[in-house]
Amino acid sequence: MDNTRDTGPTLPYLPSNLHGMEEIHPSEVAALTGLAVSPSIGPASDGSHPQPQSKELLKFHDDDIVKAAGEMTGAAFGRLDAAARQQQADDASDKGGSATTSLLNDKSDDTNSAPFYSVQYYRYLFNVDTTEVLWRLASGLMPIKNMLFSRIAENPDLYGPFWITTTAVFLFAITANIISWAAHAADPDWDYDFSRLTLSAALFYGFNFLVPAGIYLLNNWYSGSLSLAQTVDLYNYPMVLFLLFLVPEIVLMNQLVAQLLPYLTSAYISLILFLNLYPQLSNGMVHPVKEFVMGGICLTLLLYALLLRESFLSISD
């Protein structure tokens, strides 16, 4: 009878505390313990259980098996937990992206259902952060065709225009009083003129919002696609230039360069508007109408500069 041992996959010698188990595959032992188990131990062809060739019997320690199994289980659960967390992050990102896209392109459902006199109704018009506003301000200073429009087209806002206008109201009123004080420093009876603040508010809020509203109505009459918020943005972001020339205006006072600065600024703003607003006006306008509209805007800006110069930046007796 051939007593050659079979190198099959079972082990007859098992620890006594593995209840109810009779055989264990070597690959399972290796997976649980991390030990390289030789399959050279197995039953003979006659069913007997000869001793292994090695003098040392293979011994299993249940503590090692339990420890290895615990480590494997912990690693498996760790991978599952990491995968679950990644899936949650991806889902949140997708939801956030879709919500942002909704706000960028149109009003949300809550905004649509809110009454027009509520703050909720205008929430989408303030969906910008400081970085985006700074980019829009920079774009409003660059004489590049459609550069500003490309930044505000999908997500027009009122945040930037409101603060540009409000800042101008206070800065021009303060500048006017500084210039007046400097010119009458020797006059002990000099006092600030609070009425300049009222005049400044009427001028800036009137020009910065009523003029673009008029442009929007005219463009809409010719079936133009430009929205009111987009028109306000295109008109107001370049207006930050009127704030930038205040520093040389105060330093130079009543010199010739200071007198020309408002008009030079209005001319530069007209160029920015021609590069960004003119291409967006309705194609339904007959050829001369667009030119007349842009000419009217340029004249309005010159009038704007004249009022600023005479009301706030000139020295009166």
Side-chain angles (χ1 to χ4, degrees):
M1 182 180 294
D2 185 7
N3 293 330
T4 303
R5 285 186 295 273
D6 184 12
T7 58
T10 59
L11 293 172
Y13 303 107
L14 301 172
S16 59
N17 58 349
L18 296 180
H19 305 294
M21 297 182 61
E22 296 181 355
E23 294 182 341
I24 183 169
H25 196 279
S27 64
E28 296 175 345
V29 176
L32 289 172
T33 64
L35 300 174
V37 179
S38 172
S40 62
I41 304 174
S45 59
D46 61 353
S48 62
H49 300 288
Q51 296 297 321
Q53 292 178 352
S54 174
K55 293 182 179 181
E56 295 182 358
L57 296 177
L58 181 64
K59 296 181 180 180
F60 297 96
H61 300 285
D62 55 326
D63 291 341
D64 294 337
I65 296 176
V66 172
K67 180 179 179 181
E71 292 176 352
M72 292 177 61
T73 304
F77 276 106
R79 289 192 295 269
L80 290 174
D81 181 63
R85 290 176 181 273
Q86 183 63 39
Q87 184 62 39
Q88 291 177 355
D90 293 342
D91 293 343
S93 177
D94 293 340
K95 292 179 181 179
S98 61
T100 302
T101 302
S102 175
L103 282 173
L104 290 178
N105 294 322
D106 203 355
K107 299 179 184 178
S108 64
D109 293 337
D110 293 339
T111 301
N112 282 328
S113 61
F116 74 92
Y117 52 81
S118 66
V119 176
Q120 182 77 7
Y121 182 84
Y122 302 96
R123 186 182 66 176
Y124 78 102
L125 292 173
F126 295 87
N127 183 39
V128 288
D129 55 20
T130 303
T131 303
E132 178 61 24
V133 171
L134 291 176
W135 273 111
R136 295 182 180 200
L137 289 172
S139 299
L141 300 177
M142 301 297 175
I144 301 175
K145 186 175 182 179
N146 286 331
M147 184 174 183
L148 176 59
F149 180 75
S150 64
R151 292 211 67 94
I152 62 94
E154 297 297 326
N155 184 26
D157 72 287
L158 291 182
Y159 182 87
F162 172 78
W163 283 112
I164 290 172
T165 304
T166 302
T167 303
V169 168
F170 287 96
L171 282 184
F172 271 85
I174 293 171
T175 302
N177 280 286
I178 291 175
I179 292 176
S180 177
W181 169 80
H184 303 86
D187 186 0
D189 296 328
W190 179 89
D191 196 5
Y192 64 89
D193 187 359
F194 190 79
S195 65
R196 294 180 185 272
L197 181 61
T198 306
L199 177 61
S200 179
L203 180 63
F204 281 102
Y205 283 114
F207 270 88
N208 288 17
F209 290 99
L210 293 181
V211 172
I215 297 171
Y216 164 75
L217 291 175
L218 182 61
N219 189 55
N220 191 57
W221 177 266
Y222 286 95
S223 302
S225 60
L226 203 62
S227 70
L228 177 59
Q230 290 173 334
T231 309
V232 170
D233 280 356
L234 291 176
Y235 187 84
N236 275 270
Y237 273 107
M239 290 293 178
V240 73
L241 282 168
F242 279 118
L243 302 180
L244 298 181
F245 78 72
L246 284 179
V247 174
E249 187 74 31
I250 294 174
V251 173
L252 298 174
M253 286 297 182
N254 209 27
Q255 302 300 318
L256 178 62
V257 176
Q259 294 179 11
L260 293 177
L261 275 177
Y263 306 108
L264 295 175
T265 302
S266 67
Y268 188 81
I269 292 175
S270 298
L271 174 62
I272 300 296
L273 291 178
F274 184 82
L275 293 172
N276 288 274
L277 179 60
Y278 179 80
Q280 314 310 323
L281 294 178
S282 174
N283 290 328
M285 294 182 180
V286 293
H287 182 65
V289 175
K290 279 189 176 183
E291 285 70 18
F292 281 130
V293 171
M294 293 307 302
I297 293 174
C298 293
L299 291 176
T300 301
L301 288 171
L302 286 175
L303 176 61
Y304 194 52
L306 176 63
L307 291 175
L308 291 178
R309 178 64 202 170
E310 296 302 322
S311 300
F312 302 100
L313 305 175
S314 62
I315 301 175
S316 58
D317 294 334

